[in-house]
Amino acid sequence: MLPNFASDPDTFGRFAERFARYMGTANFLLYMTIFVILWIAFNVIGLFGFQWDPYPFILLNLFFSTQASYAAPLILLAQNRQDDRDRVTIEQDRARDERNLADTEYLTREVAALRISLREVSTRDFVRSELRSLLEELLAAQDQETDSETPAQEMREKSRDSRGPGRPLNSGKTRQPKSVAPAAGPVI
């Protein structure tokens, strides 16, 4: 009828934890108080003719001593098991924290590398300001062309100046690509 604790050491450990957990509850204290009051009441008053433990209550004291002698090792066993669980949990937390630290350091290095590479990349505001300045230059050039009487003639003159003196803008001839003769090889 009694459980076999020798086959599984964890069975006795679980029993010790349940016992220690129960001894730390308000229910246990309430039931123990009721038991002590009834014990003393029966032995002092002698209800129903029962007085098995007269006034110094030596038997009750013996019960408390026996309970304490068993409760202390069971509580210690439960605490040791809890310490073992806490140790495993702390080791797992430490390993997880080390992984998180490594991940954080890696991400920090990556963010720093991105910041360094982004220094060389044009920002949206920079590109917009450059486009605005180019647009203003184009509009200013267009305004100058509309102000002059013969803008097409001025453009021709500018292109002649860049090609050199005496060369016309377009001679009317289009340049034809040269045909390529097949390579000479041995005849078979």
Side-chain angles (χ1 to χ4, degrees):
M1 295 186 80
L2 294 176
N4 186 6
F5 295 123
S7 64
D8 185 17
D10 270 351
T11 304
F12 189 73
R14 286 191 297 269
F15 167 75
E17 287 176 344
R18 283 194 305 265
F19 181 78
R21 196 173 299 123
Y22 178 71
M23 286 188 70
T25 62
N27 283 340
F28 175 77
L29 293 175
L30 178 68
Y31 296 147
M32 184 60 85
T33 304
I34 292 171
F35 174 77
V36 169
I37 290 171
L38 291 176
W39 184 282
I40 292 173
F42 276 116
N43 285 298
V44 168
I45 301 171
L47 294 174
F48 309 113
F50 293 117
Q51 270 187 327
W52 64 89
D53 192 16
Y55 166 66
F57 308 116
I58 295 172
L59 187 59
L60 181 62
N61 194 6
L62 181 64
F63 284 154
F64 284 149
S65 298
T66 306
Q67 179 189 7
S69 67
Y70 277 99
L74 290 174
I75 291 170
L76 288 175
L77 178 63
Q79 286 177 344
N80 288 341
R81 286 174 53 90
Q82 184 62 42
D83 288 342
D84 292 342
R85 279 194 299 272
D86 291 344
R87 190 176 305 111
V88 169
T89 303
I90 287 170
E91 289 172 4
Q92 290 173 348
D93 289 345
R94 184 177 295 128
R96 186 176 61 241
D97 290 344
E98 288 173 359
R99 284 192 309 270
N100 287 342
L101 179 63
D103 290 345
T104 303
E105 288 174 351
Y106 171 76
L107 290 174
T108 302
R109 286 191 301 270
E110 289 296 316
V111 167
L114 284 173
R115 284 183 180 172
I116 289 171
S117 65
L118 283 178
R119 288 181 188 163
E120 299 170 3
V121 175
S122 300
T123 62
R124 181 179 61 195
D125 295 334
F126 174 75
V127 171
R128 283 182 179 172
S129 66
E130 289 296 314
L131 288 174
R132 281 189 193 117
S133 65
L134 285 173
L135 181 63
E136 289 173 3
E137 289 176 14
L138 286 173
L139 290 175
Q142 187 179 11
D143 288 344
Q144 288 177 356
E145 286 180 7
T146 56
D147 289 345
S148 65
E149 295 177 44
T150 55
Q153 187 177 4
E154 288 177 8
M155 291 299 285
R156 283 188 207 114
E157 289 174 5
K158 286 182 184 178
S159 65
R160 268 191 212 134
D161 291 341
S162 63
R163 286 179 297 172
R167 292 185 67 185
L169 180 63
N170 190 355
S171 62
K173 294 180 183 179
T174 58
R175 189 173 177 181
Q176 297 293 328
K178 294 181 181 180
S179 61
V180 177
V187 177
I188 303 178

